[in-house]
Amino acid sequence: MSNEERSLNFIELIIEEDLAKGMPKEALRFRFPPEPNGYLHIGHASSICLNFGLGLRYNAPVNLRFDDTNPAKEEQEYVDAIKRDVEWLGFQWDKELYASDYFQELYEWAIDFIKRGLAYVDSQSSEEMAKQKGTPTQPGTNSPYRDRPVEENLELFEKMKNGGFPEGSHVLRAKINMASSNMLMRDPIMYRVLHKHHHRTGDNWHIYPMYDWAHGESDYLEQVSHSLCTLEFAMHRELYDWFLDQIYDSSLVRPKQREFARRNLSHTVVSKRKLLQLVQEGYVSGWDDPRMSTISGLRRRGYTPASIRNFADTIGIAKRTNLIDVSLLEFCVREDLNKTAPRVMAVLDPVKLVIDNYPEGKVEWLDAENNPEDEAAGFRKVPFSKELYIERDDFMENANSKYFRLTLGKEVRLKNAYIIKGESVVKDAEGNITEIHCTYDADSRSGSGTEASMRKIKGTIHWVSIEHALEAEIRVYDRLFTHENPDGDKDVDFKQYINPDSLQIINGYLEPSLKDAIAGERFQFQRLGYFCVDPDSTAGKLVFNKTVGLRDTWAKIESKE
Ligand code: ATP
Ligand code: MG
């Protein structure tokens, strides 16, 4: 669905209303504000597509703002990964900005707040402050430090900034209302003392601003018109507005916070904190493990940027949180790869097939179509010989009349090649089939134009020539969690639902055209699914990740509705 065809979402309606009320179109400005404390995941993709999508729709700038106010968890590695992922998704930010660039301005505003009696230094412990908070139905009590003289506040605050106090000894609080029905308005903390090295400001600061204080003011400094965040910040909006009220200059754009629902994906977790646990505790090989819900994991798995954007657009945005079935994401990548991925033949569970009447030592290089969905993709050559591999489950010794793959006494077509007939099998001592023998119809070569080549045969199976096959490592993935919503229950550790069989490594055989495939290249292994070359590949051995199978379960679910 293109942007133009669908009806406006509720955020766009808010923007349209603002424009109708006289906001100039040039004043529109958006931002995507990740905290660099982990890699981006599929949930972030929704926020990225929303914000950058608005930028495209209204031809407005979108900033990439790193919300780096918590030095304990933030790192340059994450900043780099986030930039790489947003770019890879196909979006271009106007400016790359950091909340830490505003530390000085925020600090000066805070001093101004103190002078105006809007903030004070509280020297109680966090436990004492918690006791005074009250409950949603009972007002809190004022801190004994609430009416500290301005001069004393200024002195203490400066000393906090310069590292003169230990962590936890003092905080700067906004003086709002300890009886507010919104607990967040009960004198919220603006600054805490932290003796942590910051990945950008180094050791310059010994106080760091809290999210609520930094976020709205950063939006204001950047003149962001619509600051979109997820629903858990709905209650914070009052505070966001209160902070802005104190500094707002009416000749400037006043940012507006609006909330949309977080997107959760089934059979995985979308929380940087939990994804970090999976990495640190070794459940996965890293942030870009192809089983991860991270953008970098999906990329390594073989997902395309278009498929992720299309997924985000299809689910759209909502006012209520719900769980999106991962099969919709799979549907989106399948749909995209079907159009673009070259077709190749690969056998992943081989059994040997010998064509008894095919000349010994003969090799034919047959034409194979690269992509039936794309004529321009052309043809390639695949080698055919007397001894082939086919999939073990494409043969059945005692098959009924509904079995259209290879069996004894019946015909089947070898893809891009000849019609063959099953003749006999060779078994080992345990009764396992080690070799299948067949005969071929020499006149039936696909595309040769002969009458025999046009014979209608019910089944077609894929194959590779044993002599020419490339051996490759194939990593086949299953869902990382057995539970649909592994972090749905606060009392249960989500790791309890980890699927112990989420990775299966097999040895496969590929047609030789894949010899020079490079990391990131995507293919359809015919009849098996979509596969992507993994960066672990070496000159001697290719490694493939299975992106997704060919079967289209989501379309079936959808059409039933
Ligand atoms: P996490 O819990 O994974 O760390 P977060 O919200 O703390 O998520 P941020 O880096 O602060 O992560 O998020 C950047 C932006 O992406 C925010 O505007 C946030 O609301 C949005 N976002 C994060 N997760 C989701 C999600 N699952 N669905 C939609 N938007 C999300
Ligand atoms: Mg966060």
Side-chain angles (χ1 to χ4, degrees):
M1 200 166 18
S2 84
N3 243 355
E4 306 311 316
E5 287 164 23
R6 60 166 174 78
S7 54
L8 298 183
N9 64 43
F10 74 92
I11 297 284
E12 287 158 353
L13 289 174
I14 291 169
I15 294 169
E16 293 293 333
E17 201 183 306
D18 288 338
L19 292 174
K21 279 194 209 140
M23 177 177 209
K25 216 173 161 196
E26 301 69 51
L28 291 178
R29 184 181 292 272
F30 307 96
R31 91 285 174 259
F32 171 63
E35 184 182 352
N37 62 346
Y39 281 55
L40 297 179
H41 51 64
I42 187 72
H44 291 115
S46 276
S47 176
I48 294 169
C49 291
L50 170 64
N51 284 296
F52 284 94
L54 289 169
L56 292 171
R57 170 179 278 270
Y58 293 104
N59 194 21
V62 185
N63 290 338
L64 175 61
R65 154 129 44 86
F66 290 98
D67 220 326
D68 57 348
T69 54
N70 184 5
K73 294 181 182 159
E74 295 158 4
E75 287 174 31
Q76 186 61 38
E77 177 198 345
Y78 299 140
V79 169
D80 297 340
I82 289 168
K83 284 164 65 178
R84 190 163 58 233
D85 289 348
V86 175
E87 264 179 341
W88 179 77
L89 281 173
F91 295 112
Q92 236 180 337
W93 53 85
D94 181 43
K95 297 195 188 80
E96 175 186 335
L97 300 165
Y98 295 81
S100 57
D101 289 343
Y102 313 135
F103 281 174
Q104 184 61 33
E105 268 145 311
L106 291 167
Y107 176 70
E108 285 164 19
W109 265 327
I111 289 178
D112 188 48
F113 272 37
I114 294 175
K115 289 182 180 161
R116 292 159 60 197
L118 297 171
Y120 62 96
V121 174
D122 197 331
S123 309
Q124 301 181 94
S125 67
S126 52
E127 293 76 24
E128 282 167 315
M129 283 186 274
K131 271 189 235 147
Q132 293 159 358
K133 265 264 139 155
T135 67
T137 50
Q138 276 183 327
T141 26
N142 287 354
S143 161
Y145 297 100
R146 202 169 194 263
D147 294 315
R148 219 169 202 160
V150 169
E151 280 315 311
E152 195 180 317
N153 279 321
L154 288 173
E155 221 169 280
L156 289 169
F157 188 48
E158 191 180 356
K159 201 166 166 194
M160 281 166 67
K161 172 194 169 245
N162 293 333
F165 292 119
E167 289 184 11
S169 56
H170 305 275
V171 291
L172 185 75
R173 294 177 76 175
K175 196 192 270 190
I176 308 181
N177 178 7
M178 288 306 288
S180 171
S181 58
N182 181 349
M183 302 273 290
L184 294 165
M185 299 297 282
R186 296 183 185 174
D187 291 9
I189 296 176
M190 294 171 69
Y191 281 94
R192 74 275 202 213
V193 174
L194 273 184
H195 301 298
K196 291 258 162 42
H197 187 85
H198 186 280
H199 71 113
R200 297 188 80 244
T201 59
D203 298 311
N204 292 352
W205 294 88
H206 295 271
I207 51 170
Y208 288 94
M210 301 300 286
Y211 173 91
D212 286 312
W213 168 234
H215 203 89
E217 309 346 270
S218 303
D219 287 339
Y220 182 58
L221 286 167
E222 291 174 17
Q223 286 289 284
V224 166
S225 59
H226 295 82
S227 174
L228 309 173
C229 61
T230 35
L231 279 180
E232 70 274 22
F233 291 102
M235 288 291 279
H236 295 243
R237 198 205 281 182
E238 192 181 351
L239 181 53
Y240 180 100
D241 285 333
W242 187 89
F243 279 134
L244 281 181
D245 284 341
Q246 316 312 318
I247 57 168
Y248 175 56
D249 168 345
S250 62
S251 67
L252 296 175
V253 170
R254 185 185 164 114
K256 189 180 245 189
Q257 174 185 304
R258 288 297 177 268
E259 308 85 18
F260 62 98
R262 211 163 250 277
R263 289 308 200 176
N264 298 320
L265 193 66
S266 76
H267 298 95
T268 189
V269 290
V270 280
S271 147
K272 281 176 282 184
R273 192 172 53 81
K274 289 180 180 150
L275 293 167
L276 177 64
Q277 272 184 59
L278 296 176
V279 174
Q280 284 180 334
E281 294 169 29
Y283 291 101
V284 293
S285 63
W287 284 100
D288 68 345
D289 185 297
R291 290 165 292 182
M292 293 278 271
S293 64
T294 51
I295 304 294
S296 51
L298 290 167
R299 171 168 60 232
R300 188 165 173 186
R301 178 84 172 252
Y303 276 75
T304 57
S307 66
I308 296 175
R309 289 197 308 262
N310 192 26
F311 169 74
D313 289 348
T314 303
I315 61 177
I317 58 161
K319 290 185 181 178
R320 250 191 247 159
T321 311
N322 65 351
L323 192 65
I324 309 287
D325 199 304
V326 66
S327 56
L328 176 59
L329 181 62
E330 291 169 351
F331 170 81
C332 290
V333 73
R334 198 180 280 119
E335 194 183 45
D336 191 31
L337 291 175
N338 180 44
K339 287 183 248 157
T340 55
R343 273 57 170 169
V344 293
M345 291 196 285
V347 174
L348 302 189
D349 182 16
V351 62
K352 185 171 171 181
L353 176 75
V354 182
I355 308 169
D356 291 333
N357 59 340
Y358 194 84
E360 196 86 46
K362 177 173 174 176
V363 177
E364 286 178 89
W365 288 83
L366 305 176
D367 286 326
E369 196 177 11
N370 284 328
N371 187 349
E373 302 287 320
D374 174 13
E375 255 177 51
F379 287 80
R380 68 188 184 287
K381 297 280 187 192
V382 287
F384 185 81
S385 67
K386 187 181 177 76
E387 295 190 342
L388 313 173
Y389 282 136
I390 62 169
E391 299 289 346
R392 195 162 276 280
D393 73 358
D394 276 340
F395 176 77
M396 197 181 269
E397 196 177 352
N398 302 303
N400 67 23
S401 59
K402 295 224 174 72
Y403 188 79
F404 298 120
R405 288 168 277 170
L406 185 61
T407 183
L408 296 182
K410 278 179 53 181
E411 286 189 319
V412 75
R413 177 172 288 285
L414 292 174
K415 180 99 193 144
N416 303 313
Y418 295 95
I419 296 168
I420 58 166
K421 185 163 92 185
E423 301 289 352
S424 62
V425 291
V426 178
K427 294 182 182 173
D428 64 13
E430 279 93 55
N432 303 311
I433 295 172
T434 53
E435 237 173 60
I436 302 162
H437 284 257
C438 68
T439 51
Y440 86 122
D441 175 350
D443 290 329
S444 66
R445 183 162 53 81
S446 297
S448 62
T450 63
E451 213 167 292
S453 72
M454 317 246 220
R455 284 204 284 129
K456 278 266 169 280
I457 300 291
K458 269 261 159 86
T460 299
I461 62 174
H462 61 274
W463 51 273
V464 293
S465 164
I466 296 179
E467 184 196 334
H468 303 89
L470 302 173
E471 249 183 274
E473 177 179 319
I474 316 286
R475 299 175 181 169
V476 179
Y477 303 99
D478 197 354
R479 295 177 172 166
L480 190 51
F481 293 91
T482 52
H483 197 286
E484 179 183 61
N485 190 8
D487 58 1
D489 184 344
K490 298 261 169 301
D491 300 325
V492 181
D493 180 2
F494 73 104
K495 286 175 291 183
Q496 178 180 318
Y497 298 116
I498 286 186
N499 175 3
D501 302 314
S502 60
L503 169 61
Q504 191 198 353
I505 296 181
I506 55 186
N507 205 32
Y509 295 87
L510 320 177
E511 61 169 73
S513 72
L514 285 166
K515 188 164 71 64
D516 300 318
I518 54 167
E521 263 192 283
R522 309 176 182 97
F523 299 91
Q524 184 196 93
F525 289 2
Q526 284 178 310
R527 302 180 62 234
L528 298 176
Y530 294 98
F531 293 78
C532 170
V533 182
D534 190 85
D536 284 348
S537 299
T538 59
K541 183 145 193 177
L542 284 168
V543 177
F544 278 86
N545 296 313
K546 182 169 181 178
T547 310
V548 69
L550 291 179
R551 220 160 29 104
D552 191 349
T553 44
W554 176 261
K556 276 187 213 137
I557 295 167
E558 232 183 2
S559 63
K560 259 193 265 163
E561 281 169 358

